[in-house]
Amino acid sequence: MPAHRSAFRFDPAFRVPLALLGVRPETSWVLVDDEALEIRFGPWRLRTPRGNVAGAQVGGPYRWWRAIGPHLSLADAGVTFGTTTAAGVCVRFASPVPALAPGRWPTHPAATVTVADPEELCRALIT
């Protein structure tokens, strides 16, 4: 499979606050290839083998206070990397992965990313 790169969809209202965190279009993307899933969200990074992806599902719309920026879900320990409230993709992992803090803890069973074309990312992850 050729590599698939998804850009994040940035709502204009959140561009400046996200830029203050280092999250800009040129520093934020999702890359899927035969070997791995890699998410870059400004200074935050998540990388896991492709075989660790257990599923992907389109979701949204979201409430801004739960979706914008990097977030930890207190309900299920999932991580969100959000730039829009419109829609995103929830990627589930077979084995939880680190993403929000340096090192190997905490780990997350899922990651939600608010990419420009959620359906396209789901297709790339499932094929």
Side-chain angles (χ1 to χ4, degrees):
M1 171 186 128
H4 172 82
R5 186 175 171 127
S6 292
F8 277 78
R9 176 180 173 180
F10 280 78
D11 280 353
F14 304 115
R15 275 187 178 257
V16 171
L18 288 167
L20 293 173
L21 295 173
V23 178
R24 299 180 309 279
E26 61 272 13
T27 65
S28 303
W29 38 261
V30 178
L31 182 65
V32 180
D33 63 23
D34 286 337
E35 296 179 16
L37 162 68
E38 185 175 354
I39 300 169
R40 179 163 179 211
F41 191 69
W44 292 272
R45 288 180 169 77
L46 183 157
R47 183 174 172 84
T48 191
R50 179 76 184 273
N52 192 36
V53 174
Q57 177 178 336
V58 174
Y62 307 109
R63 295 186 175 132
W64 73 266
W65 61 88
R66 290 188 178 172
I68 302 302
H71 284 277
L72 171 67
S73 169
L74 298 177
D76 66 0
V79 63
T80 296
F81 296 124
T83 55
T84 182
T85 58
V89 177
C90 178
V91 183
R92 293 180 316 282
F93 305 115
S95 296
V97 297
L100 278 180
R104 297 183 171 251
W105 189 87
T107 58
H108 313 285
T112 298
V113 291
T114 57
V115 294
D117 191 337
E119 289 82 10
E120 183 181 16
L121 178 58
C122 277
R123 283 191 298 274
L125 287 165
I126 294 173
T127 58

